[in-house]
Coordinates of all heavy atoms in Angstrom, one line a residue:
V44 N 47.2 4.6 -84.8 CA 46.8 3.2 -84.4 C 47.9 2.3 -84.8 O 48.3 2.2 -85.9 CB 45.5 2.8 -85.1 CG1 45.2 1.3 -84.8 CG2 44.3 3.7 -84.7
A45 N 48.5 1.6 -83.8 CA 49.6 0.7 -84.0 C 49.2 -0.7 -83.9 O 50.0 -1.6 -84.3 CB 50.7 1.0 -82.9
Y46 N 48.1 -1.0 -83.4 CA 47.7 -2.4 -83.2 C 46.1 -2.5 -83.3 O 45.5 -1.7 -82.5 CB 48.2 -3.0 -81.9 CG 47.8 -4.4 -81.6 CD1 48.5 -5.5 -82.1 CD2 46.7 -4.7 -80.8 CE1 48.2 -6.8 -81.8 CE2 46.3 -6.0 -80.6 CZ 47.1 -7.1 -81.1 OH 46.7 -8.4 -80.8
L47 N 45.6 -3.3 -84.1 CA 44.2 -3.5 -84.2 C 43.9 -5.0 -84.6 O 44.4 -5.5 -85.6 CB 43.6 -2.6 -85.3 CG 42.1 -2.8 -85.6 CD1 41.3 -2.4 -84.3 CD2 41.7 -1.9 -86.8
E48 N 43.3 -5.7 -83.6 CA 43.1 -7.1 -83.9 C 41.7 -7.6 -83.4 O 41.4 -7.7 -82.2 CB 44.2 -8.0 -83.2 CG 44.1 -9.4 -83.6 CD 45.2 -10.3 -83.1 OE1 45.9 -9.9 -82.1 OE2 45.5 -11.3 -83.7
P49 N 40.8 -8.0 -84.4 CA 39.6 -8.6 -84.0 C 39.8 -10.1 -83.9 O 40.5 -10.7 -84.7 CB 38.7 -8.3 -85.2 CG 39.6 -8.1 -86.4 CD 40.9 -7.6 -85.8
L50 N 39.2 -10.7 -82.8 CA 39.4 -12.2 -82.6 C 38.0 -12.7 -82.2 O 37.2 -12.1 -81.5 CB 40.4 -12.4 -81.5 CG 41.8 -12.1 -81.8 CD1 42.7 -12.2 -80.6 CD2 42.4 -13.0 -82.9
G51 N 37.8 -14.0 -82.5 CA 36.6 -14.7 -82.0 C 35.3 -14.3 -82.8 O 35.4 -13.9 -83.9
H52 N 34.2 -14.4 -82.0 CA 32.9 -14.1 -82.7 C 32.0 -13.1 -81.9 O 32.1 -13.0 -80.7 CB 32.1 -15.5 -82.7 CG 32.8 -16.5 -83.6 ND1 33.7 -17.4 -83.1 CD2 32.7 -16.7 -84.9 CE1 34.2 -18.1 -84.1 NE2 33.6 -17.7 -85.2
L53 N 31.2 -12.4 -82.7 CA 30.2 -11.5 -82.1 C 29.0 -12.4 -81.6 O 28.4 -12.1 -80.6 CB 29.7 -10.5 -83.1 CG 30.7 -9.4 -83.5 CD1 30.2 -8.6 -84.7 CD2 30.9 -8.5 -82.3
E54 N 28.7 -13.4 -82.4 CA 27.7 -14.3 -82.1 C 28.2 -15.7 -82.3 O 28.4 -16.2 -83.5 CB 26.4 -14.1 -83.0 CG 25.8 -12.8 -82.8 CD 24.7 -12.6 -83.8 OE1 23.5 -13.1 -83.5 OE2 24.9 -12.0 -84.9
I55 N 28.4 -16.5 -81.2 CA 28.9 -17.8 -81.3 C 28.0 -18.7 -82.1 O 28.5 -19.5 -83.0 CB 29.2 -18.4 -79.9 CG1 30.3 -17.6 -79.2 CG2 29.6 -19.9 -80.0 CD1 30.5 -17.9 -77.8
E56 N 26.7 -18.7 -81.8 CA 25.8 -19.6 -82.5 C 25.8 -19.4 -84.0 O 25.7 -20.4 -84.8 CB 24.3 -19.4 -82.0 CG 24.2 -19.6 -80.5 CD 24.6 -18.5 -79.6 OE1 24.8 -17.3 -80.1 OE2 24.8 -18.7 -78.4
R57 N 25.8 -18.2 -84.5 CA 25.8 -17.9 -85.9 C 27.2 -17.9 -86.5 O 27.4 -17.6 -87.7 CB 25.1 -16.6 -86.2 CG 23.6 -16.8 -85.9 CD 22.8 -15.5 -86.0 NE 23.0 -14.8 -87.2 CZ 22.6 -13.5 -87.4 NH1 22.0 -12.9 -86.5 NH2 22.9 -12.9 -88.6
R58 N 28.2 -18.0 -85.7 CA 29.7 -18.0 -86.1 C 30.0 -16.7 -86.8 O 30.8 -16.7 -87.7 CB 30.0 -19.2 -87.0 CG 29.6 -20.6 -86.4 CD 30.5 -21.0 -85.3 NE 31.9 -21.2 -85.6 CZ 32.8 -21.3 -84.7 NH1 32.5 -21.3 -83.4 NH2 34.1 -21.4 -85.1
R59 N 29.3 -15.6 -86.4 CA 29.6 -14.3 -86.9 C 30.9 -13.7 -86.3 O 30.9 -13.5 -85.1 CB 28.4 -13.4 -86.6 CG 28.4 -12.1 -87.5 CD 27.1 -11.4 -87.3 NE 27.4 -10.1 -86.8 CZ 26.6 -9.3 -86.1 NH1 25.4 -9.7 -85.8 NH2 27.0 -8.1 -85.7
P60 N 31.9 -13.6 -87.1 CA 33.2 -13.2 -86.6 C 33.2 -11.7 -86.2 O 32.5 -10.9 -86.7 CB 34.2 -13.4 -87.7 CG 33.3 -13.3 -88.9 CD 32.0 -13.8 -88.6
V61 N 34.1 -11.4 -85.2 CA 34.4 -10.0 -84.8 C 35.1 -9.4 -86.0 O 36.0 -10.0 -86.6 CB 35.2 -10.0 -83.6 CG1 35.6 -8.5 -83.2 CG2 34.5 -10.6 -82.4
T62 N 34.7 -8.2 -86.4 CA 35.4 -7.4 -87.4 C 35.9 -6.1 -86.8 O 35.5 -5.7 -85.7 CB 34.4 -7.1 -88.6 OG1 33.3 -6.3 -88.0 CG2 33.9 -8.3 -89.2
S63 N 36.8 -5.5 -87.5 CA 37.4 -4.2 -87.0 C 36.4 -3.1 -86.8 O 36.7 -2.1 -86.2 CB 38.6 -3.8 -87.8 OG 38.2 -3.6 -89.1
D64 N 35.2 -3.2 -87.4 CA 34.2 -2.1 -87.3 C 33.1 -2.6 -86.4 O 32.0 -2.0 -86.5 CB 33.8 -1.7 -88.7 CG 33.1 -2.8 -89.5 OD1 33.1 -3.9 -89.1 OD2 32.4 -2.4 -90.5
A65 N 33.3 -3.6 -85.6 CA 32.2 -4.2 -84.8 C 31.7 -3.1 -83.8 O 32.5 -2.3 -83.3 CB 32.7 -5.4 -84.0
I66 N 30.4 -3.1 -83.5 CA 29.8 -2.3 -82.5 C 29.5 -3.1 -81.3 O 28.8 -4.1 -81.4 CB 28.6 -1.6 -83.1 CG1 29.0 -0.7 -84.3 CG2 27.9 -0.8 -82.0 CD1 27.8 0.0 -85.0
W67 N 29.9 -2.7 -80.2 CA 29.8 -3.4 -78.9 C 28.9 -2.6 -78.0 O 29.0 -1.4 -77.9 CB 31.1 -3.6 -78.2 CG 32.1 -4.3 -79.1 CD1 32.9 -3.8 -80.0 CD2 32.4 -5.7 -79.0 NE1 33.7 -4.7 -80.6 CE2 33.4 -5.9 -80.0 CE3 32.0 -6.8 -78.3 CZ2 34.0 -7.2 -80.2 CZ3 32.5 -8.0 -78.5 CH2 33.5 -8.2 -79.5
R68 N 28.1 -3.4 -77.3 CA 27.3 -2.8 -76.2 C 28.2 -2.9 -74.9 O 28.5 -4.1 -74.6 CB 26.0 -3.4 -76.0 CG 25.1 -2.8 -74.9 CD 23.7 -3.3 -74.9 NE 23.0 -2.6 -73.9 CZ 21.7 -2.8 -73.6 NH1 21.0 -3.6 -74.4 NH2 21.1 -2.2 -72.7
I69 N 28.5 -1.9 -74.3 CA 29.3 -1.9 -73.0 C 28.5 -1.4 -71.9 O 27.6 -0.5 -72.0 CB 30.6 -1.2 -73.2 CG1 30.4 0.3 -73.6 CG2 31.5 -1.9 -74.2 CD1 31.6 1.1 -73.7
Y70 N 28.7 -2.0 -70.7 CA 28.0 -1.7 -69.5 C 29.0 -1.1 -68.5 O 30.2 -1.3 -68.5 CB 27.4 -2.9 -68.9 CG 26.3 -3.5 -69.8 CD1 26.6 -4.5 -70.8 CD2 25.0 -3.2 -69.6 CE1 25.7 -5.0 -71.6 CE2 24.0 -3.8 -70.4 CZ 24.4 -4.7 -71.4 OH 23.4 -5.2 -72.2
S71 N 28.4 -0.4 -67.5 CA 29.1 0.1 -66.3 C 30.5 0.7 -66.6 O 31.5 0.1 -66.2 CB 29.2 -1.1 -65.3 OG 29.7 -0.6 -64.1
M72 N 30.5 1.8 -67.2 CA 31.8 2.5 -67.5 C 32.2 3.5 -66.4 O 33.2 4.1 -66.6 CB 31.7 3.2 -68.9 CG 31.5 2.2 -70.1 SD 32.8 1.0 -70.1 CE 34.3 2.0 -70.4
T73 N 31.4 3.5 -65.4 CA 31.7 4.5 -64.3 C 33.1 4.2 -63.7 O 33.9 5.1 -63.5 CB 30.7 4.4 -63.2 OG1 29.4 4.6 -63.7 CG2 30.9 5.4 -62.1
K74 N 33.4 2.9 -63.4 CA 34.7 2.6 -62.8 C 35.9 3.0 -63.7 O 36.8 3.7 -63.2 CB 34.7 1.2 -62.3 CG 33.9 0.9 -61.1 CD 34.0 -0.5 -60.7 CE 33.1 -0.8 -59.5 NZ 31.9 -1.5 -59.9
P75 N 35.9 2.6 -64.9 CA 37.1 2.9 -65.7 C 37.2 4.4 -66.0 O 38.3 5.0 -66.0 CB 36.9 2.2 -67.1 CG 35.5 1.6 -67.0 CD 35.0 1.6 -65.6
I76 N 36.1 5.1 -66.2 CA 36.2 6.6 -66.4 C 36.6 7.3 -65.1 O 37.5 8.1 -65.2 CB 34.8 7.1 -66.9 CG1 34.6 6.6 -68.3 CG2 34.8 8.6 -66.8 CD1 33.2 6.8 -68.8
T77 N 36.1 6.9 -64.0 CA 36.5 7.5 -62.7 C 38.0 7.2 -62.5 O 38.8 8.0 -62.0 CB 35.7 6.9 -61.6 OG1 34.3 7.2 -61.8 CG2 36.1 7.5 -60.2
S78 N 38.4 5.9 -62.8 CA 39.8 5.5 -62.6 C 40.8 6.4 -63.4 O 41.8 6.8 -63.0 CB 40.0 4.1 -62.9 OG 39.3 3.3 -62.0
V79 N 40.4 6.6 -64.7 CA 41.2 7.4 -65.5 C 41.3 8.8 -65.0 O 42.4 9.4 -64.9 CB 40.7 7.4 -67.0 CG1 41.4 8.5 -67.8 CG2 40.9 6.1 -67.6
G80 N 40.2 9.4 -64.6 CA 40.2 10.7 -64.0 C 41.1 10.8 -62.8 O 41.9 11.8 -62.6
L81 N 41.0 9.8 -61.9 CA 41.8 9.8 -60.7 C 43.3 9.7 -61.0 O 44.1 10.3 -60.4 CB 41.3 8.7 -59.7 CG 41.9 8.8 -58.3 CD1 41.6 10.1 -57.7 CD2 41.4 7.6 -57.5

Side-chain angles (χ1 to χ4, degrees):
V44 176
Y46 179 85
L47 177 65
E48 185 172 25
L50 293 169
H52 295 92
L53 289 170
E54 296 177 85
I55 294 173
E56 298 81 13
R57 292 175 48 193
R58 306 292 296 167
R59 196 170 120 204
V61 175
T62 59
S63 60
D64 63 348
I66 296 174
W67 302 83
R68 182 171 182 176
I69 55 176
Y70 297 87
S71 191
M72 294 305 295
T73 305
K74 287 183 183 97
I76 291 169
T77 302
S78 296
V79 168
L81 192 57

